[in-house]
Amino acid sequence: PGLWWKWSSQPGAESLRLLGLCATFVDDLAMIGIGASPSDLVNEIASKGPFTITKVKADTNGCARWAGVDIELRQDEIRLSQAEYVQSLLQTVPPGPIPNTPLPPDSRDRPDDSPALPASQAHSFRSLLGGLAWVARDTRLDLAEACNELSRSVACPTERSLSYLHGAIRYAAATKHRTLCIRRD
């Protein structure tokens, strides 16, 4: 996966403005225009190399979904989110309280002497943490520290780490309105 930016001029220029984003995933390309036509940006890329563009899909009213990420194009910004995916993670978590932060503030300082999870639950823990980490990496930077802390127990997850992971997922779902916003200026 990769993300490239198209600017109106050289870095440092007073008139520098973001024109578009180009995201790649395996052999797919998504071009998002902001202040420029996505078709023009695709044509520019195609003219510079041995590329074949086989299918072009126009956006629908400024909203699109690509590679699991919801893209909302506004006049001077692009918003990226994974709200639907976060909701799917929540479906695998038992009901419980929604915390105010992804992890308890002192979670790093407390020793974890809770029992290790059985193999089947350990596999589920790793899968859920991987899903949450994907969201943290792509659109929800506020979840990154929780994923980092929880990944410390991935080799031998415990009941407490599973409880913290469930809380982090509940938090992510309760704050699904948060997006990664890329502004033109």
Side-chain angles (χ1 to χ4, degrees):
L3 183 65
W4 288 267
W5 312 84
K6 172 71 175 172
W7 297 96
S8 60
S9 58
Q10 295 296 319
E14 192 173 310
S15 62
L16 183 67
R17 305 267 303 174
L18 178 64
L19 295 177
L21 298 175
C22 174
T24 59
F25 183 75
V26 187
D27 63 351
D28 291 333
L29 168 108
M31 184 62 67
I32 304 162
I34 180 169
S37 161
S39 298
D40 291 346
L41 295 172
V42 168
N43 291 337
E44 181 182 341
I45 290 171
S47 71
K48 293 186 178 190
F51 307 110
T52 304
I53 309 296
T54 58
K55 182 172 149 185
V56 175
K57 180 181 176 188
D59 72 85
T60 52
N61 299 323
C63 295
R65 172 173 216 135
W66 184 75
V69 176
D70 297 314
I71 303 164
E72 181 184 352
L73 180 60
R74 297 183 179 181
Q75 185 172 346
D76 285 328
E77 66 186 21
I78 298 168
R79 292 183 177 265
L80 306 172
S81 71
Q82 291 170 293
E84 189 175 315
Y85 181 71
V86 168
Q87 284 301 117
S88 73
L89 291 177
L90 183 63
Q91 300 307 313
T92 65
V93 172
I98 299 170
N100 294 326
T101 58
L103 286 180
D106 61 348
S107 61
R108 186 176 282 207
D109 301 330
R110 291 190 223 164
D112 185 359
D113 54 2
S114 65
L117 296 175
S120 62
Q121 281 188 307
H123 176 77
S124 175
F125 174 88
R126 291 181 192 104
S127 178
L128 275 174
L129 180 56
L132 190 64
W134 179 52
V135 172
R137 184 198 73 189
D138 285 359
T139 59
R140 292 286 305 273
L141 305 177
D142 59 320
L143 303 172
E145 185 178 349
C147 290
N148 179 41
E149 183 65 26
L150 290 166
S151 69
R152 295 172 67 186
S153 65
V154 82
C156 186
T158 64
E159 289 179 4
R160 185 180 89 170
S161 60
L162 181 61
S163 173
Y164 283 174
L165 176 59
H166 288 167
I169 291 171
R170 286 187 207 104
Y171 169 85
T175 57
K176 66 183 177 186
H177 62 279
R178 293 186 177 175
T179 63
L180 179 62
C181 182
I182 302 166
R183 290 193 172 85
R184 183 174 179 179
D185 55 359

